[in-house]
Amino acid sequence: MRAPILLTAGGTGGHLFPAEALCAALIRRGETVDLATDERADKYGKAFPARAVHIVPSATFGSKNPLALMRSATHLSAGLLKAYGLLGRLKPSVVVGFGGYPTFPPMLAAQFRSVPTILHEQNAVMGRANRALAARATAIATSFAVTEKIGDAQTKATHTGNPVRDAVRQVADRAYLPPASTDPIRLLVFGGSQGARYFSDVVPPAVAAMDANVRARLVITQQCREEDIARVDAAYQALGLKAELARFFVDLPERMANAHLVMGRAGASTVAELGVIGRPSLLVPYAFALDADQAANARVLASAGGAVVIAQNDLTADRLAADLTALVTSPDRLAALAKGAKAAGRPDAVERLADLVQAIAGRSGRL
């Protein structure tokens, strides 16, 4: 029996979704795959497809409070010990990390045990956990042709693209048809796997400020935090609109494929999925990211002609109303954005990454 492959990813959708895609691809190739992550991994709609999921303690040094730093160090030490034991039991052929602080103990333990390691960087700016691990990594896979802050580790880098889930690739061949002048306009609003209160605050008043004839055509699907759903629903009902609101949409790829326009953040998975499916978007990068990674992701898609990008600081309800109106009333513009997004997509990213993983593991691959 082949030695297993261990994947490790932070417990958010942006890290777990590409890991899920790689897991499925490797299983199709006859590999045995395990996952090491934190306790958040079961909150994204279904079980991860690995043979086993191992919860490894971890922590981030986000606070400068001495007690908080001590607690973080204690959690990390416990995670490193648990991961070191896990590696000893599993004896994986390679460990693949997808970023986020929960990847740090398993990846570091693998490096201590001289197990080959691969880092996958989803964003156009290399994350801090990956930067800390890069010097001792065997190989690095990047989502974008150019990755900021990768430094000397560029010599180890292979541009694979960012893997998307099978559910995304299953709708990738669906043609984009912009709305005709009297058609309903399907607007999808989401803020990433953890939601975005900002959109709950700004989108309803922007919709209220739109021309009544355009507004009446809107069919809105919006992701909201649980505590915001009632007030957002009330705002749309007051405008005579029915909106479908939920904390998380398990079938989000299907909803993206059905949308005439997507409004959201610019997380790496969002940008990758918009490219593979080929849908026009209005992106508002998260304004408080330490490395401005979402702004960098959005710039790449916008430069390909696939998105309109607005800085959060510039986005008032009136500005959003004007931009939404200009987009949804211009079928040619929507079609051009969809074409640009599609051209930027990398539907083969998961196979390219699987090739790299198998090559590092000593199995056959196309690289």
Side-chain angles (χ1 to χ4, degrees):
M1 181 178 176
R2 286 177 171 180
I5 292 170
L6 180 64
L7 309 184
T8 179
T12 64
H15 298 303
L16 281 169
F17 290 161
E20 177 188 325
L22 177 62
C23 182
L26 290 172
I27 290 171
R28 286 193 293 268
R29 296 181 181 204
E31 300 288 356
T32 300
V33 185
D34 281 20
L35 172 73
T37 185
D38 66 8
E39 67 280 354
R40 297 172 294 169
D42 63 351
K43 298 180 181 179
Y44 295 95
K46 62 179 181 179
F48 196 91
R51 175 185 67 172
V53 176
H54 309 277
I55 304 302
V56 176
S58 189
T60 180
F61 290 99
S63 170
K64 295 182 180 180
N65 180 283
L67 289 177
L69 289 172
M70 288 178 63
R71 283 195 296 269
S72 294
T74 300
H75 282 299
L76 281 171
S77 297
L80 181 58
L81 286 171
K82 184 171 183 177
Y84 193 85
L86 176 66
L87 269 287
R89 294 192 302 276
L90 292 180
K91 295 181 172 56
S93 55
V94 63
V95 180
V96 187
F98 284 85
Y101 62 84
T103 67
F104 199 83
M107 292 294 285
L108 192 59
Q111 292 173 351
F112 286 163
R113 283 190 175 271
S114 299
V115 177
T117 58
I118 300 172
L119 294 173
H120 182 271
E121 178 52 61
Q122 291 94 61
N123 291 296
V125 181
M126 180 168 266
R128 298 185 175 207
N130 277 353
R131 294 205 302 268
L133 294 161
R136 297 182 63 180
T138 308
I140 296 170
T142 63
S143 297
F144 295 90
V146 177
T147 303
E148 300 175 25
K149 297 190 178 182
I150 194 171
D152 293 340
Q154 179 64 48
T155 59
K156 305 176 183 180
T158 298
H159 177 211
T160 61
N162 193 14
V164 298
R165 295 166 288 167
D166 288 346
V168 175
R169 297 204 292 174
Q170 287 165 6
V171 297
D173 293 334
R174 193 175 301 175
Y176 178 73
L177 299 174
S181 59
T182 58
D183 286 348
I185 302 164
R186 294 187 294 273
L187 174 65
L188 172 64
V189 182
F190 68 96
S193 58
Q194 298 185 76
R197 172 164 290 166
Y198 179 75
F199 291 141
S200 294
D201 292 339
V202 74
V203 176
V207 169
M210 296 174 71
D211 177 84
N213 291 327
V214 177
R215 182 175 65 234
R217 296 170 57 201
L218 292 177
V219 178
I220 300 173
T221 301
Q222 184 167 343
Q223 180 191 19
C224 303
R225 294 186 180 184
E226 190 71 39
E227 63 269 25
D228 295 330
I229 289 178
R231 69 179 176 91
V232 174
D233 185 54
Y236 288 138
Q237 287 197 38
L239 296 170
L241 297 176
K242 290 189 68 174
E244 186 174 1
L245 311 175
R247 183 184 64 83
F248 184 77
F249 293 105
V250 176
D251 60 342
L252 186 60
E254 178 73 21
R255 293 172 185 272
M256 290 176 71
N258 288 335
H260 290 121
L261 178 66
V262 176
M263 180 178 178
R265 294 300 196 185
S269 288
T270 296
V271 170
E273 292 174 2
L274 286 168
V276 171
I277 299 174
R279 290 300 178 263
S281 60
L282 194 160
L283 300 178
V284 186
Y286 180 61
F288 305 106
L290 290 175
D291 295 312
D293 52 353
Q294 288 201 11
N297 298 342
R299 283 196 300 270
V300 174
L301 193 57
S303 67
V308 173
V309 181
I310 307 176
Q312 182 169 319
N313 292 339
D314 298 332
L315 192 61
T316 63
D318 287 341
R319 165 78 185 274
L320 179 56
D323 285 355
L324 283 174
T325 299
L327 285 170
V328 301
T329 58
S330 177
D332 290 345
R333 179 87 186 281
L334 289 175
L337 288 168
K339 183 178 179 179
K342 189 74 172 178
R346 295 295 298 266
D348 64 341
V350 69
E351 302 302 335
R352 291 173 60 82
L353 182 56
D355 287 344
L356 177 63
V357 171
Q358 289 190 308
I360 296 296
R363 263 80 102 174
S364 60
R366 293 194 298 263
L367 288 179

